[in-house]
Amino acid sequence: MKHLKIDNLHVSIGDREILRGLSLDLPTGQVHAIMGPNGSGKSTLAKVIAGHPDYTVTSGDILFDGESILEMEPDERARKGIFLAFQYPSEIPGVTIANFLRAALQARLPEGEELEATEYYAKLYEKMDLLEMPRTFTSRSVNEGFSGGAKKRCELLQMAMLQPTFALLDETDSGLDIDALRIVARGVHEVRKERPTLGIVLITHYQRLLNELRPDVVHVLIDGRIVASGGMEIAERLEASGYDSFRA
Ligand code: ADP
Ligand code: MG
């Protein structure tokens, strides 16, 4: 079984320390929720796992199946099956969704092997239907002029197509109405159905998506550290009494 382990991680941006000794055990096949106030370091954690160059790991380690990934480039981590759905997805003018995903899938094939076009489009359309994305989206530039909800769906479409081992979903539910949220939940369920070993790290402020996805573990992240881990009762306690009850 694959395993992502974050071991006493310290991360800085400039001279400011944001993650201050954070440890997490993330076996595949489980859903782990991370909740925390704004600015506590949730997105930093997600981006550092994906290999974002802005952040400096000053100590600690991130291990994938026992092997450190700290020295790996983002694309190498992606090829290992680590996927990040960004909180604020970038726009890529001039690159259509269809071409973008095709390039991403092609990049993972062994050299000399071509992605088969008919198969690719069949799969793309199947996943778009699942996420209730109109076919016209295939020819639009990635995220350009998309509504918040469409950007989040586009992130999920990438996840559905790339079939990662670990998916980090950074506030994929924020700004979505109930219907869009249900589509997000359905998207995640479908990917898990095809790939029951998928590990999910779900960064969220809301109970609603947790109710749909039933996390195995809920963690509370405050000031760059995990201050509590447990079951759904943690999320319920947060809903009832806020983050203050978790502050030391
Ligand atoms: P969260 O996702 O929990 O709201 P973030 O990880 O986005 O928190 O941010 C944690 C802290 O790090 C915040 O104080 C934020 O201002 C700072 N920070 C994050 N990214 C950057 C960056 N690229 N440059 C400067 N400061 C940053
Ligand atoms: Mg964030």
Side-chain angles (χ1 to χ4, degrees):
M1 189 161 82
K2 302 245 181 226
H3 196 129
L4 193 60
K5 188 177 165 67
I6 299 167
D7 186 18
N8 197 19
L9 195 69
H10 289 253
V11 172
S12 296
I13 184 148
D15 53 11
R16 193 161 147 231
E17 186 165 64
I18 295 169
L19 300 184
R20 303 182 304 137
L22 186 148
S23 297
L24 277 176
D25 256 318
L26 306 165
T28 47
Q30 295 191 354
V31 178
H32 285 238
I34 298 181
M35 307 182 85
N38 283 329
S40 57
K42 304 182 298 297
S43 293
T44 299
L45 173 65
K47 287 193 269 189
V48 126
I49 295 172
H52 196 291
D54 282 357
Y55 303 88
T56 311
V57 174
T58 53
S59 67
D61 213 340
I62 304 173
L63 303 163
F64 190 59
D65 281 346
E67 181 193 10
S68 177
I69 63 167
L70 288 185
E71 298 303 319
M72 292 179 192
E73 295 296 323
D75 66 308
E76 199 178 346
R77 300 184 198 201
R79 276 199 303 272
K80 291 218 171 263
I82 295 170
F83 172 83
L84 169 60
F86 287 98
Q87 182 174 4
Y88 302 109
S90 305
E91 301 189 358
I92 316 179
V95 179
T96 65
I97 290 185
N99 284 340
F100 174 73
L101 285 172
R102 197 169 170 173
L105 285 170
Q106 179 70 52
R108 296 201 313 190
L109 293 179
E111 205 147 340
E113 215 171 288
E114 272 297 316
L115 195 64
E116 215 276 302
T118 329
E119 251 171 62
Y120 166 68
Y121 276 98
K123 188 171 165 191
L124 180 65
Y125 290 150
E126 180 203 320
K127 305 299 180 197
M128 289 181 83
D129 289 348
L130 186 78
L131 294 165
E132 296 182 13
M133 293 177 84
R135 296 275 163 95
T136 50
F137 267 81
T138 48
S139 54
R140 290 184 58 179
S141 291
V142 178
N143 288 325
E144 197 179 23
F146 286 17
S147 68
K151 283 184 184 171
K152 303 286 173 167
R153 274 183 223 189
C154 188
E155 295 289 295
L156 283 180
L157 178 65
Q158 291 169 42
M159 178 178 88
M161 291 298 284
L162 292 171
Q163 301 258 315
T165 312
F166 272 99
L168 311 159
L169 305 181
D170 191 359
E171 299 201 25
T172 301
D173 52 341
S174 65
L176 298 184
D177 61 28
I178 300 261
D179 289 340
L181 198 94
R182 244 181 242 129
I183 292 169
V184 166
R186 196 201 306 156
V188 173
H189 278 310
E190 285 296 324
V191 176
R192 287 190 93 195
K193 233 195 272 170
E194 276 181 68
R195 198 178 243 270
T197 56
L198 174 71
I200 297 177
V201 178
L202 195 68
I203 296 172
T204 184
H205 285 294
Y206 306 105
Q207 183 103 33
R208 284 192 315 194
L209 193 61
L210 301 187
N211 290 340
E212 298 269 353
L213 296 179
R214 310 306 306 173
D216 297 282
V217 187
V218 178
H219 306 275
V220 181
L221 171 53
I222 295 181
D223 289 341
R225 285 196 191 104
I226 301 292
V227 296
S229 299
M232 274 296 276
E233 75 282 355
I234 298 245
E236 282 149 21
R237 188 174 138 199
L238 273 178
E239 188 103 319
S241 36
Y243 290 113
D244 277 347
S245 67
F246 289 94
R247 287 181 209 270

